[in-house]
Amino acid sequence: MVNQEKEKKRLYDETASLITRQALTNKMDDEELHFLLDLLDCVIVTGEHRAFIDLLHRWVNTSQSEDTYHAIKKVIITTDMSDENKVDASIQVIEELLCSNKNKSESKEESEDERFLDL
Amino acid sequence: MNLSVTQTIPEEVLYDLESERRVLSSMLHSEEACVEAYHLLTAADFYSPRHATIFELTCSLFEREIRPTYVELLKEGHSLGILTNPRDIEEIKFIAEHYIDDENIRYWVKRVKDKSKLRKFESFLRRSMQVLTEGKDLEAEDILMSAEEELTNLTALDVDDSIDTPADMASLGYEEVERRFLQFKEIREKYKGVLPLYGLPTGFDDLNHITLGYKPGDLIILGAQTGHGKTAFALHTARAVAVDHHSTVLYLNTEMSREQIALRWGSILSGIEHDKIRSGDINENELSIILQGYSRLRESGFYSYPCPNLTPEKAISIARKFKAQKKIDMMIVDYIGRMDKIDPRLQEWQMLEQIVKTLKMLAQNLKIVVMCLVQLNPDGSLQGAKRMKNESDLMLKLAPISRDELEENEELKKYRNPNYYLHIEKNRDGRSGVKIPIVFDLQRQVMKNAERISL
């Protein structure tokens, strides 16, 4: 148990350092840095906002248009993680964006099928 | 002769990076360590500029009530543009990961402080050496006098201490009198003679008049027998200072629960009997009045800290934390007889004396008013009273007026329904030996000056 705690702490420190180094080398901006460090606290320290974190998993594993990706990213990094209501509001917006992305890709597939049939 | 001070002193004498890291690491892992280091050290005490920066960042987070963790430090440092180099991150990470044992924080703080003093001494030696080698025309007496003054500052005095010359004292005295003279004149013209307060309001007009308010650095002792209004007096004071005057009060209670304290406020701020509130036997109109009372409390500067196991050390630590984070003007300890002993071999009066001394020092160091409540013996006396009196700036006793006295004392008949005396036993800054008749409504937990009956 003690080793597990130590390992968790090491992982936490390493990840925090890695994120900050990325910011120092201009690979991410201030907003992204703050969001990722807050997220790290949620995942490792507080265990809060499980639904939001699950949604992030879904987001990164879903293919989407560039526009949708950037729209969702904007919503994510501007979410105030200390305010539960704002996190809930963001979840709703991201769900909607992911859903509209799915509908778009389905209709695109359908129209491609129709085009194929026309041919 | 070719002498160089810096060449002859080994580096490890002048700084100790490990102690600096241990202090910083403890601050990142323990609030208690944070409180200690925040009050005892300054950034200038750190040899490493990077450590000094980390200390400043940590203190800045602590002041804003943000727990100074590794991640918070990274965020803060990056936002302020202080973390510019990956080596800065590695240094903070190294500190956060190592030396997390905070049990010896005072030891490590002392080491950092000692090294800082030695560096100042070394710098003094270097300057003196330079004076000797360069200042050929200086008088020996002047060199020695100047060196002596500097050395005295290094050894005998802390950074905050200063010596008042006769001229300083005369100027200060005249400025104080002049300020009060002008203010008095203004008050007399504008407010028809109502005396201005120089400190926090006491909650009693007569006591305000005699003391001119509780002043920063004051230790006030209030004694009362069991069941005779110690807590009511404390909360009456808290109301005057935190609710009516909007200053900030920290209230340490050693025997009541959070719920009990909260319920008392219901009575105090609504004027509705405590028993009715406690039992819930109130109507909707009263409920609405109580709600209005609590909304005043919500906007006030009253911070409550119930702590059944309060020790003098803990009281210091809590006061320092609240001074740093909430800028408290006053701390009320209700009551010191319930505080845990520092040393179990001490007699009760010795323990009380030690606690009172500690609280007086705290009031002076933090420049706040400290009020402590003590329990009187059944005969109205106080154990260790003389010594306690010596330490206090204002010593008050709250006692019921006997039925006989009410009937026989002609002076009391000039007041409307007095039932308690507030007796000023000692007043460092004014009249003492005065007994103020007051009305203590036990049911409503309200105290006030007894009104004079106009003839």
Side-chain angles (χ1 to χ4, degrees):
Chain A
M1 194 63 191
V2 175
N3 280 340
Q4 207 180 340
E5 279 303 307
K6 269 189 184 166
E7 186 54 26
K8 201 168 145 185
K9 188 174 176 337
R10 195 191 60 77
L11 190 68
Y12 176 73
D13 291 347
E14 284 295 340
T15 314
S17 308
L18 178 72
I19 294 167
T20 316
R21 273 200 299 271
Q22 298 296 308
L24 283 187
T25 48
N26 295 323
K27 287 179 185 147
M28 64 173 77
D29 62 24
D30 257 16
E31 235 175 9
E32 289 166 336
L33 168 88
H34 276 254
F35 168 73
L36 286 176
L37 290 176
D38 286 341
L39 184 65
L40 181 67
D41 268 342
C42 280
V43 173
I44 296 189
V45 184
T46 63
E48 287 171 341
H49 309 312
R50 204 55 254 175
F52 186 67
I53 293 163
D54 288 344
L55 189 61
L56 293 185
H57 278 292
R58 242 174 72 205
W59 171 56
V60 292
N61 291 316
T62 307
S63 61
Q64 58 224 278
S65 69
E66 206 167 311
D67 285 350
T68 309
Y69 173 84
H70 284 296
I72 293 177
K73 186 180 164 188
K74 186 76 193 161
V75 173
I76 289 170
I77 59 171
T78 52
T79 300
D80 179 357
M81 302 285 276
S82 62
D83 185 335
E84 203 160 323
N85 291 332
K86 285 183 182 156
V87 174
D88 288 345
S90 291
I91 290 176
Q92 208 175 336
V93 174
I94 297 164
E95 287 276 16
E96 279 166 17
L97 285 167
L98 282 174
C99 193
S100 77
N101 175 66
K102 195 179 164 197
N103 291 341
K104 265 188 212 162
S105 44
E106 274 174 6
S107 61
K108 194 179 166 194
E109 269 172 31
E110 271 171 24
S111 66
E112 273 175 5
D113 287 347
E114 278 165 14
R115 217 174 336 140
F116 179 73
L117 286 174
D118 286 346
L119 288 171
Chain B
M1 185 168 63
N2 186 15
L3 269 179
S4 164
V5 175
T6 44
Q7 278 169 10
T8 54
I9 301 173
E11 284 185 340
E12 62 271 21
V13 173
L14 296 178
Y15 61 88
D16 177 358
L17 296 179
E18 180 165 319
S19 294
E20 292 185 3
R21 287 193 195 104
R22 279 182 188 271
V23 167
L24 294 171
S25 182
S26 294
M27 290 178 81
L28 295 183
H29 292 93
S30 146
E31 188 180 51
E32 204 183 326
C34 225
V35 174
E36 283 292 322
Y38 177 87
H39 281 276
L40 298 172
L41 295 174
T42 65
D45 289 322
F46 289 84
Y47 176 77
S48 151
R50 206 174 273 153
H51 290 170
T53 305
I54 296 171
F55 177 78
E56 278 180 328
L57 282 177
T58 310
C59 288
S60 150
L61 289 169
F62 174 70
E63 278 171 3
R64 285 178 285 140
E65 293 179 67
I66 300 168
R67 215 181 127 223
T69 59
Y70 173 50
V71 162
E72 290 299 339
L73 268 188
L74 292 180
K75 278 194 235 171
E76 181 81 355
H78 191 262
S79 301
L80 296 173
I82 292 169
L83 296 181
T84 50
N85 191 322
R87 267 183 302 172
D88 296 336
I89 303 173
E90 288 313 309
E91 178 76 28
I92 304 178
K93 184 161 156 276
F94 181 74
I95 287 168
E97 283 176 356
H98 294 79
Y99 318 119
I100 57 172
D101 175 13
D102 67 282
E103 282 176 20
N104 293 319
I105 180 69
R106 286 189 184 174
Y107 171 78
W108 298 115
V109 164
K110 185 178 178 301
R111 280 187 67 95
V112 171
K113 194 93 195 161
D114 284 352
K115 294 290 178 192
S116 165
K117 279 184 181 170
L118 286 177
R119 286 196 300 279
K120 284 180 191 157
F121 179 56
E122 183 257 355
S123 150
F124 158 76
L125 288 177
R126 245 184 310 124
R127 278 197 308 279
S128 301
M129 189 74 169
Q130 206 172 345
V131 169
L132 275 181
T133 50
E134 291 171 6
K136 287 171 192 164
D137 298 332
L138 279 172
E139 289 285 328
E141 194 69 14
D142 291 342
I143 296 174
L144 290 175
M145 283 296 282
S146 151
E148 189 181 338
E149 190 186 335
E150 215 175 319
L151 201 55
T152 308
N153 283 331
L154 269 180
T155 53
L157 305 174
D158 275 338
V159 182
D160 293 341
D161 290 340
S162 64
I163 292 173
D164 285 318
T165 63
D168 291 338
M169 192 45 69
S171 305
L172 178 69
Y174 184 73
E175 279 164 20
E176 276 293 301
V177 174
E178 190 186 36
R179 189 172 61 82
R180 286 169 194 233
F181 164 73
L182 293 171
Q183 198 171 355
F184 187 87
K185 207 167 130 189
E186 190 188 337
I187 295 289
R188 197 167 43 194
E189 284 160 12
K190 264 193 187 169
Y191 306 105
K192 297 181 179 139
V194 178
L195 269 176
L197 292 183
Y198 294 112
L200 299 171
T202 66
F204 299 95
D205 292 342
D206 288 349
L207 193 59
N208 282 345
H209 192 81
I210 293 170
T211 61
L212 302 181
Y214 300 142
K215 291 163 278 295
D218 276 359
L219 174 71
I220 295 130
I221 295 179
L222 181 277
Q225 287 177 36
T226 311
H228 279 294
K230 282 195 297 296
T231 297
F233 187 90
L235 292 180
H236 176 77
T237 307
R239 177 200 172 139
V241 177
V243 180
D244 298 340
H245 192 255
H246 293 289
S247 293
T248 313
V249 172
L250 170 65
Y251 175 60
L252 303 181
N253 190 301
T254 55
E255 55 180 358
M256 282 167 71
S257 67
R258 296 172 64 235
E259 289 77 10
Q260 285 171 316
I261 297 167
L263 282 178
R264 287 232 186 179
W265 274 113
S267 289
I268 293 168
L269 295 170
S270 68
I272 292 166
E273 289 97 323
H274 192 51
D275 280 350
K276 285 181 77 176
I277 289 182
R278 229 171 15 185
S279 64
D281 179 19
I282 47 173
N283 58 39
E284 283 181 358
N285 183 38
E286 287 170 326
L287 186 63
S288 147
I289 294 170
I290 292 166
L291 186 67
Q292 282 173 30
Y294 282 122
S295 70
R296 289 184 67 206
L297 182 64
R298 193 183 298 277
E299 304 299 319
S300 75
F302 178 78
Y303 291 88
S304 177
Y305 196 109
C307 40
N309 306 316
L310 188 66
T311 59
E313 289 87 352
K314 201 166 170 184
I316 293 172
S317 175
I318 297 166
R320 283 173 169 176
K321 179 185 164 193
F322 276 81
K323 178 69 184 176
Q325 295 183 339
K326 303 286 182 195
K327 312 275 180 284
I328 52 166
D329 303 293
M330 181 177 201
M331 178 171 88
I332 302 176
V333 183
D334 180 5
Y335 73 101
I336 64 171
R338 287 254 317 132
M339 281 173 86
D340 287 349
K341 285 187 182 183
I342 312 159
D343 181 347
R345 290 165 300 180
L346 293 180
Q347 297 285 322
E348 191 168 351
W349 67 266
Q350 289 175 311
M351 183 197 82
L352 291 178
E353 186 195 343
Q354 273 207 352
I355 293 172
V356 166
K357 269 187 180 171
T358 307
L359 292 177
K360 174 62 190 168
M361 248 161 47
L362 193 65
Q364 287 180 317
N365 290 342
L366 298 185
K367 296 183 178 62
I368 58 172
V369 178
V370 174
M371 173 183 281
C372 61
L373 282 75
V374 294
Q375 190 161 304
L376 298 179
N377 295 326
D379 63 355
S381 66
L382 177 65
Q383 271 185 328
K386 200 175 166 197
R387 290 160 194 268
M388 278 202 199
K389 212 169 166 178
N390 286 344
E391 294 296 330
S392 70
D393 299 281
L394 185 67
M395 189 159 181
L396 305 168
K397 276 187 185 176
L398 186 67
I401 305 174
S402 70
R403 194 180 290 268
D404 289 348
E405 193 174 354
L406 278 172
E407 283 169 8
E408 287 162 19
N409 189 334
E410 290 302 318
E411 187 58 30
L412 279 178
K413 288 180 184 156
K414 294 175 188 164
Y415 292 91
R416 203 181 300 278
N417 306 324
N419 60 350
Y420 270 71
Y421 271 134
L422 188 56
H423 183 188
I424 306 175
E425 284 230 335
K426 178 190 174 182
N427 180 11
R428 210 190 282 279
D429 215 11
R431 266 192 302 154
S432 59
V434 181
K435 280 183 176 180
I436 303 171
I438 65 166
V439 180
F440 172 26
D441 184 339
L442 182 69
Q443 260 309 309
R444 290 177 177 80
Q445 294 289 302
V446 172
M447 290 180 173
K448 60 178 182 183
N449 264 106
E451 271 176 63
R452 264 189 172 269
I453 300 168
S454 47
L455 296 170

